[in-house]
Amino acid sequence: TMFSLKVILLLALHLLPEVKTSMVKLNNNGYEGIVIAVNPSVPEDEELIQNIKEMVTEASTYLFYATKRRVYFRNVSILIPMTWKSKSKYLMPKQESYEQADVIVADPHPTYSSDPYTLQYGQCGDKGQYIHFTPSFLLTNNSSIYGPRGRVFAHEWAHLRWGVFDEYNVDQPFYFSRKNTIEATRCSTHITGMNVVFNECKGGSCITRPCRRDSKTGLYEAKCTFIPDKSQTARDSIMFMQSLDSVVEFCTAKTHNREAPNLQNKMCNHRSTWDVISESPDFQNAIPLKGTNPPPHPTFSLLKSQQRVVCLVLDKSGSMSTEDDLGLSRLIRMNQAAEMYLIQIIEKGSMVGMVTFEDYATIQTNLIKITDDRAYLNITSKLPQVASGGTSICSGLKEGFQAITKSNQSTSGSEIILLTDGQDNGISSCFEEVKRSGAIIHTIALGPSAAKELEILSNMTGGHHFYVYKDINGLIDAFSRISSRSGDIAQQSLQLESKAFNITRNKWVNGTVVVDSTIGNDTFFVVTWTRRKPEIILQDPKGKIYETSDFKEDKLNIHSARLRIPGIAETGRWTYSLHNKHINSQLLTLTVTTRAKSPTTLPIIATAHMSQNTAHYPSPMIVYARVSQGFLPVLGISVTAIIEAEDGNQVTLELWDNGVGADTVKNDGIYSRYFTDYHGNGRYSLKIHAQARKNTARVSLRQQNKALYIPGYVENGKIIMNPPRPEIKEDAEKVELEDFSRLSLGESFIVSGAPPKGNHTPVFPPSKITDLQAKFQGDHIQLSWTASGNVLDKGKADHYIIRISKCFLDLQDDFHNALLVNTSGLIPKEAGSAEHFEFKPESLKIENGTGVYIAIQTISKANLTSEVSNIAHVTKFIPPWQSSAPALCTNISALSLTVFGFTVFVFILNE
C-alpha cells in the first residue's frame, strides 16, 4: 500500500500543478466541467441565461474549426446566484463555486465599459484566471463592435485556456516594418484597411483626414486609427480581430507577423498563437476528429448556489499537545484560530458543525445556523481541551459527512475545513468516498509531519490548502482565508493586520492600523498572549480610547481577548499599545479583521498565489499578488511576500508591478517576483502584505487581454462608424485612493529536488529584458530599459551585451552574429533600476529613413546568460520625409511620395 500511495501522490503532484482549481477537463476532444457563474448583484434575467447558452454553442463550433477539428465544448454548468428565485430546473452545485468559476458574469465599475476580457497575468502558455463578461455585453447586440458573441468567447477562451495574448496594441497601434513602411499593429498583415484621423463624428458618419507623420518619430500622429475593410480575404487571426467575417483561424508560423509590437510577440518570443496553442497539454492527445460533421451542441446544467455549510474537522491527537518555543501548545493555537473563524470570519446565516478526531472521530456539534452570539458559543464551547491518541483522518472526514447529513443537508457543495499535524497511512482509503461526497475540502497542514496527502484532498475537491509551522499567526491567517465562495464580496471578512511581538518584561509596543473608507463593518481587534494578558490601549482616529477591560477574554483559557467595534469603525489611523506585565518576556499577537462598509461599497481586496502548486528544482517559481477594488486594479502600492520553508526559514520579497522580470504587464495591479531562495524540500507557505502609504495608491480603469473595440469598418470605400465607446478621461484613468492595508495568505506549495540548505550552485540566469526602447538623438541612438538582475530579477548583473542590425531577423534568429556595440563603460545597476545608454552606430551607414534593430543580453557574475531581450526598433527620421532609402532584408523596394502632408507608399516587386 505504501508503494501505491507514493504513486498516487506522485500523480497528484504532477497532474495538478495549476494555481487556480478549475474543474475543466478535455475528454475525447470535448471540454467538460466548465463553470460560468453569475454574480449575486446581477438582477434575475432569463434572457441572460439564454444568451449565455447561445454564445457557448456558437463558440463551440467556431473553435472546433479554428482548432482544425480538435476541440469543442461538451458540457457547461451555469451557476445561478442565491439572490435569484428558486426553480425546479435548478440543480444543487457540487464543487462548482463563483470563486473557482472559469467565466464570471458581473457588472463592471460604473465608469468602465463592457469590453469582455480575461484576467491573465502568467507567462506564455500559462492558463488565465477567469473570463469576465458584463450583463450589458450579453444582453445588448454588440456584433458590429466585437463580432458575434460566440467568436468573442473563442477569443477569450484562447487567453484563458492556452495562455496566448492579444495581437493588437492600443498604446502602439503603428510601427515601422522591415520594409521601411508604416504598418498597423496586427496579425496577420493580410488584413487590409485605412489609416485615418477622425475630425468630427455625428451619428454614424464622420469627417476624416489622412494621417500625418509625427515629426519626432516618423510614425503616424497619435490620433491616427486603423479602420479595417469589412470585406476581407484574410483567414487569421482570432487573437487580433475575430469580428471580421473572414477570420476563422489563429495565426500560424506561416502567417504570423513577428514584427508587430504586441503582447503576443513580447510574451511568447515572437511565436505565433497557433504554435503556442498546439503545444498546450490539451493538444498533446487531441487528435483531429474525422469526417465532416460539426461537433454536437454543448449540454447545460443550471445550478443554484445554496446557503453555506461548513464543518470543522479538527485534530486532537497526542501530537497536538506539542508546545512551540514560547510554551503554547498546537491545540491552544488551533482553538484560538477556530474561535476567531467562528466569531469573525464565517458569514451570518451559514450552517456550521464541528468534529474532532484522534484514533476515532466524534461529532461535537451537528450543523448550527450562525445567527447570533449564542450560536457561536454552542460551537466554541466544544473546542477540544485535551490532546491524546493517534491520527485517523478518514474517521474525521466520515464523521464530518455524518454531521452534515444528520442535519438534513447534502454533502454536495458543503465545505470541510480539515486541520491536522499528524501522519496517517490509511488516508488514501477514503479518497473515493471523498470524491463521491461532492464536498469541498480545505486542508491546513500544521507542522512538518502533517500528512503529505492533504494537498490531494484539496486538489481533487477544489478546496484550499495551507501550511503553517513557525509562523505564530499562521493558523489565524489560514482560517481567515477560507471565506465565502459565493462572489458576494460585501460578506467576506478581510484581514487588515496580523502581527507578532516578542516583548521583554515591562516593555510597551506601539503600532497603527489603517481602516480605509471601503471597510469598517464588523471590525474586530484580537490580542493573544503566551503567559499573561497584557495591558491594551486602543485609540480610534477621533481620539476615543478602548482599554484592557473592553477586550473580552474567552472562557476557554486559550490566551486571547477580542474587541468588537460597535457599528462602523471610524475611517483613519487607529493606534494601539500593548504592555507586557509578566515578569518574563512573552509573545503577543494582534489581528484585525473587518468587512465592507456596506453592500454597495466595493472593498479593496488582496489575494496571492504561486505560479504552480508544485516545483521541481531548479525551475523558478513566480509569486503573484493581485490587489483590486471590484474588478479594477489598484496601482502604486507596496506589496511584500513572506515565504516560509518547512524548517521555518523565512524569505521576504518585495513584489513589483513594473512590467519587467516575472511581471507580465506594467500597472495592471498584479504584483510579481521570481522566487528562487529554496531552503530544502517539502511544503512552503506564502503570505502577503499590501500597503498604500502617503497617498500613492490609485485605481486604474484599464484592462488587458480583451476583445478589441472596433470603431468602424470600410465598406465600398466609405467608413461606416460604430457607436463611439465611452470615453475615459486621462485623469479618470487613475483614481486616487486613500491609505490602506491588507493581509492575505496564499496556498501552500511543494518543492522537490532542491539542494541541501545553503548549498546553492548558481543555476538561475538574469531574467530577460522586456522593455528595451530606442530613439535617435542626432547621430546617436539612446537606449532605455529596466535592469533585470544577477539571479533572475535580483541583484546586480556583471555586464550587458548589446547588438544591432538593419535586419530584424538577424537579431531574432542569429543574435550572436549581429554587430556588437561597445559597452565597456556600461555597468549594470540593481535589478528594477532604470538604465540608460547612448552610442553612435559607427559600423552602419545611417541615412534618413534607415531603420536599426537593437537587442540586449544580460550576463551574471556566474557567467550565466539571459534570453535575448525584446527587439527595439528605431528609424532615422528628418522631416520633411525626402529619403528613398532602400527596403531592408527584403526583395521589395519602397518609393515614398509626400502628398498633401501624408505619405503614399508605392511598392515595386523585384522578381
Side-chain angles (χ1 to χ4, degrees):
T1 56
M2 277 310 288
F3 173 74
S4 63
L5 187 58
K6 282 178 181 170
V7 171
I8 289 169
L9 184 56
L10 197 67
L11 278 173
L13 297 185
H14 283 283
L15 291 175
L16 295 158
E18 296 166 27
V19 289
K20 178 174 181 283
T21 313
S22 169
M23 316 301 278
V24 178
K25 297 286 176 281
L26 185 63
N27 183 14
N28 293 331
N29 300 85
Y31 283 111
E32 301 175 341
I34 298 160
V35 178
I36 299 176
V38 180
N39 188 281
S41 64
V42 173
E44 187 161 354
D45 192 330
E46 200 60 48
E47 189 188 347
L48 189 68
I49 303 303
Q50 188 53 38
N51 287 1
I52 290 171
K53 290 179 178 179
E54 288 171 9
M55 172 179 72
V56 176
T57 304
E58 181 184 22
S60 181
T61 307
Y62 184 62
L63 261 190
F64 181 67
Y65 291 115
T67 58
K68 304 171 177 47
R69 302 182 63 82
R70 279 178 175 83
V71 298
Y72 63 94
F73 299 127
R74 184 176 286 125
N75 63 52
V76 177
S77 297
I78 301 175
L79 198 59
I80 308 291
M82 279 177 65
T83 46
W84 290 23
K85 292 190 190 82
S86 292
K87 292 181 181 173
S88 56
K89 64 182 177 182
Y90 295 160
L91 306 172
M92 187 176 266
K94 286 193 175 179
Q95 283 127 8
E96 301 89 355
S97 69
Y98 182 93
E99 186 187 57
Q100 307 284 51
D102 307 289
V103 181
I104 286 172
V105 178
D107 278 312
H109 191 277
T111 54
Y112 187 58
S113 72
S114 284
D115 288 337
Y117 70 93
T118 302
L119 181 64
Q120 175 191 15
Y121 46 78
Q123 303 299 295
C124 181
D126 289 350
K127 290 182 174 67
Q129 301 297 302
Y130 59 75
I131 297 167
H132 179 198
F133 292 119
T134 67
S136 167
F137 170 79
L138 291 166
L139 292 168
T140 312
N141 183 358
N142 291 305
S143 59
S144 66
I145 295 168
Y146 304 103
R149 288 192 199 102
R151 288 173 166 235
V152 174
F153 187 48
H155 175 104
E156 299 306 333
W157 184 261
H159 282 311
L160 179 79
R161 187 73 190 174
W162 303 317
V164 293
F165 296 86
D166 287 323
E167 292 164 336
Y168 61 85
N169 186 342
V170 291
D171 295 323
Q172 201 173 337
F174 296 97
Y175 68 98
F176 275 115
S177 79
R178 62 174 180 260
K179 303 168 190 171
N180 260 358
T181 60
I182 303 175
E183 294 284 352
T185 302
R186 68 200 190 282
C187 195
S188 73
T189 49
H190 296 138
I191 289 175
T192 57
M194 291 173 64
N195 304 321
V196 296
V197 171
F198 296 110
N199 272 350
E200 191 183 339
C201 293
K202 283 181 183 172
S205 64
C206 291
I207 299 169
T208 62
R209 64 168 172 79
C211 299
R212 300 190 184 108
R213 309 284 288 272
D214 182 285
S215 61
K216 289 182 181 170
T217 64
L219 286 168
Y220 289 137
E221 60 194 299
K223 291 179 181 176
C224 185
T225 306
F226 173 74
I227 306 293
D229 292 324
K230 185 73 177 168
S231 176
Q232 302 272 353
T233 55
R235 294 173 63 82
D236 39 22
S237 170
I238 291 167
M239 298 316 290
F240 172 60
M241 209 175 270
Q242 73 289 328
S243 56
L244 296 170
D245 291 343
S246 69
V247 169
V248 290
E249 294 175 1
F250 294 97
C251 261
T252 63
K254 192 181 282 188
T255 56
H256 178 61
N257 178 6
R258 296 167 74 180
E259 294 181 280
N262 56 33
L263 203 52
Q264 172 63 23
N265 277 330
K266 175 191 168 183
M267 293 302 301
C268 297
N269 205 18
H270 302 270
R271 291 166 65 214
S272 75
T273 50
W274 182 246
D275 278 355
V276 176
I277 290 169
S278 55
E279 284 182 13
S280 121
D282 287 354
F283 286 72
Q284 300 315 302
N285 301 312
I287 298 157
L289 291 179
K290 291 176 181 164
T292 55
N293 291 340
H297 281 187
T299 58
F300 296 91
S301 308
L302 299 181
L303 313 175
K304 185 168 185 289
S305 299
Q306 307 294 311
Q307 68 179 343
R308 195 171 182 205
V309 173
V310 180
C311 186
L312 304 182
V313 176
L314 306 177
D315 187 347
K316 61 179 285 294
S317 61
S319 53
M320 289 294 287
S321 61
T322 306
E323 293 187 351
D324 58 28
D325 302 340
L326 302 146
L328 270 197
S329 71
R330 289 176 179 173
L331 194 76
I332 287 181
R333 288 277 179 225
M334 176 180 80
N335 288 349
Q336 286 175 346
E339 183 188 62
M340 196 198 74
Y341 181 74
L342 292 164
I343 295 176
Q344 297 172 224
I345 309 299
I346 192 80
E347 300 77 21
K348 284 266 172 35
S350 303
M351 305 277 287
V352 185
M354 184 168 67
V355 166
T356 56
F357 67 93
E358 42 178 292
D359 299 294
Y360 57 91
T362 308
I363 296 176
Q364 298 296 344
T365 65
N366 288 327
L367 298 181
I368 295 172
K369 191 163 189 171
I370 301 294
T371 49
D372 54 25
D373 290 352
R374 276 178 307 176
Y376 300 126
L377 293 170
N378 282 341
I379 308 174
T380 54
S381 65
K382 301 285 179 65
L383 284 165
Q385 298 302 297
V386 178
S388 64
T391 306
S392 176
I393 289 168
C394 281
S395 300
L397 291 172
K398 288 174 182 179
E399 284 302 290
F401 298 150
Q402 285 288 312
I404 292 166
T405 52
K406 281 181 179 174
S407 308
N408 298 321
Q409 295 294 318
S410 168
T411 54
S412 189
S414 298
E415 295 169 74
I416 281 182
I417 300 175
L418 169 65
L419 184 151
T420 181
D421 73 338
Q423 295 177 346
D424 176 2
N425 293 336
I427 193 170
S428 60
S429 66
C430 59
F431 281 177
E432 281 308 312
E433 188 174 343
V434 165
K435 275 185 194 169
R436 285 195 306 273
S437 74
I440 297 154
I441 299 183
H442 309 292
T443 59
I444 302 174
L446 177 55
S449 301
K452 300 301 176 200
E453 299 82 2
L454 292 177
E455 283 78 6
I456 302 178
L457 285 168
S458 295
N459 285 330
M460 73 166 62
T461 62
H464 295 303
H465 46 85
F466 302 104
Y467 170 63
V468 177
Y469 182 34
K470 297 275 189 182
D471 181 355
I472 211 77
N473 280 2
L475 278 181
I476 284 175
D477 300 339
F479 272 102
S480 296
R481 244 318 246 108
I482 306 173
S483 56
S484 163
R485 299 156 72 85
S486 71
D488 186 350
I489 298 173
Q491 282 192 359
Q492 290 180 10
S493 175
L494 301 167
Q495 209 173 353
L496 304 188
E497 191 56 275
S498 174
K499 270 201 170 160
F501 311 95
N502 204 350
I503 310 182
T504 53
R505 174 187 176 182
N506 213 29
K507 286 285 188 291
W508 286 86
V509 66
N510 307 306
T512 60
V513 177
V514 175
V515 174
D516 59 90
S517 62
T518 69
I519 53 172
N521 190 24
D522 207 25
T523 305
F524 288 91
F525 286 76
V526 182
V527 175
T528 75
W529 55 91
T530 48
R531 300 178 188 277
R532 180 182 170 190
K533 185 177 181 181
E535 184 181 346
I536 310 166
I537 299 172
L538 177 68
Q539 183 172 315
D540 81 6
K542 289 194 169 170
K544 181 175 180 180
I545 291 180
Y546 299 90
E547 296 181 331
T548 317
S549 56
D550 297 310
F551 282 72
K552 298 291 178 281
E553 202 168 337
D554 65 88
K555 307 279 193 300
L556 295 168
N557 188 31
I558 55 174
H559 299 240
S560 77
R562 72 174 31 77
L563 167 69
R564 181 179 192 166
I565 305 299
I568 303 291
E570 287 288 345
T571 297
R573 207 167 283 278
W574 291 64
T575 308
Y576 60 86
S577 300
L578 306 176
H579 178 208
N580 176 20
K581 298 196 290 187
H582 195 266
I583 56 167
N584 295 319
S585 295
Q586 68 167 332
L587 194 92
L588 307 178
T589 76
L590 175 82
T591 306
V592 186
T593 65
T594 186
R595 297 185 204 271
K597 180 176 274 189
S598 74
T600 55
T601 305
L602 291 172
I604 295 157
I605 56 171
T607 56
H609 64 80
M610 302 299 290
S611 53
Q612 298 153 254
N613 282 336
T614 62
H616 188 82
Y617 185 86
S619 65
M621 296 185 79
I622 299 173
V623 192
Y624 291 115
R626 178 177 174 234
V627 187
S628 58
Q629 185 174 21
F631 291 100
L632 299 181
V634 173
L635 316 180
I637 63 170
S638 159
V639 182
T640 307
I642 299 160
I643 296 167
E644 185 174 283
E646 199 157 272
D647 63 358
N649 180 70
Q650 284 193 350
V651 172
T652 302
L653 267 182
E654 183 192 346
L655 306 187
W656 294 339
D657 185 16
N658 58 0
V660 299
D663 195 58
T664 308
V665 175
K666 184 176 183 175
N667 288 340
D668 64 348
I670 312 297
Y671 297 77
S672 326
R673 202 76 184 275
Y674 283 110
F675 172 68
T676 57
D677 297 319
Y678 294 112
H679 211 254
N681 294 325
R683 290 186 173 109
Y684 284 64
S685 67
L686 164 68
K687 184 192 290 191
I688 60 127
H689 291 265
Q691 286 187 306
R693 300 190 192 97
K694 299 177 183 171
N695 301 320
T696 56
R698 59 197 190 279
V699 168
S700 170
L701 303 185
R702 292 190 64 177
Q703 292 286 10
Q704 305 288 335
N705 310 313
K706 61 190 181 187
L708 183 58
Y709 190 103
I710 311 297
Y713 297 95
V714 180
E715 289 188 64
N716 302 321
K718 287 186 178 176
I719 296 176
I720 311 297
M721 293 302 295
N722 279 321
R725 65 177 301 152
E727 278 298 315
I728 297 171
K729 292 185 178 141
E730 282 296 319
D731 56 349
E733 267 199 18
K734 292 179 181 151
V735 180
E736 286 189 6
L737 293 172
E738 71 224 282
D739 288 0
F740 66 85
S741 73
R742 296 289 184 274
L743 180 133
S744 185
L745 204 65
E747 293 191 323
S748 57
F749 60 100
I750 294 172
V751 171
S752 60
K757 306 166 186 77
N759 183 16
H760 281 242
T761 340
V763 289
F764 299 109
S767 60
K768 172 181 172 176
I769 291 165
T770 56
D771 64 344
L772 177 65
Q773 292 184 315
K775 63 179 182 182
F776 263 107
Q777 189 69 39
D779 292 334
H780 288 71
I781 294 175
Q782 293 179 336
L783 301 179
S784 61
W785 69 95
T786 307
S788 53
N790 187 53
V791 177
L792 290 171
D793 54 9
K794 288 190 283 295
K796 283 185 200 176
D798 187 72
H799 64 279
Y800 293 114
I801 294 173
I802 301 178
R803 293 184 184 272
I804 62 170
S805 174
K806 287 186 180 180
C807 180
F808 173 83
L809 294 177
D810 281 356
L811 292 179
Q812 172 68 26
D813 300 335
D814 196 17
F815 176 82
H816 301 290
N817 288 322
L819 284 170
L820 191 63
V821 174
N822 181 354
T823 56
S824 56
L826 177 58
I827 298 162
K829 293 180 183 168
E830 189 73 27
S833 306
E835 296 273 32
H836 300 281
F837 181 66
E838 185 174 301
F839 69 97
K840 187 175 181 182
E842 305 280 2
S843 324
L844 294 179
K845 186 181 179 186
I846 306 290
E847 300 174 328
N848 196 14
T850 301
V852 179
Y853 294 92
I854 306 117
I856 301 187
Q857 275 187 322
T858 313
I859 315 297
S860 74
K861 292 179 170 62
N863 213 30
L864 298 171
T865 306
S866 75
E867 288 181 50
V868 177
S869 72
N870 66 301
I871 298 171
H873 179 241
V874 64
T875 298
K876 178 82 169 175
F877 177 71
I878 306 170
W881 190 267
Q882 294 161 340
S883 165
S884 55
L888 307 171
C889 313
T890 177
N891 62 349
I892 299 175
S893 308
L895 177 66
S896 310
L897 303 173
T898 305
V899 183
F900 303 120
F902 70 102
T903 307
V904 176
F905 290 99
V906 181
F907 294 100
I908 302 153
L909 285 172
N910 295 335
E911 293 298 340

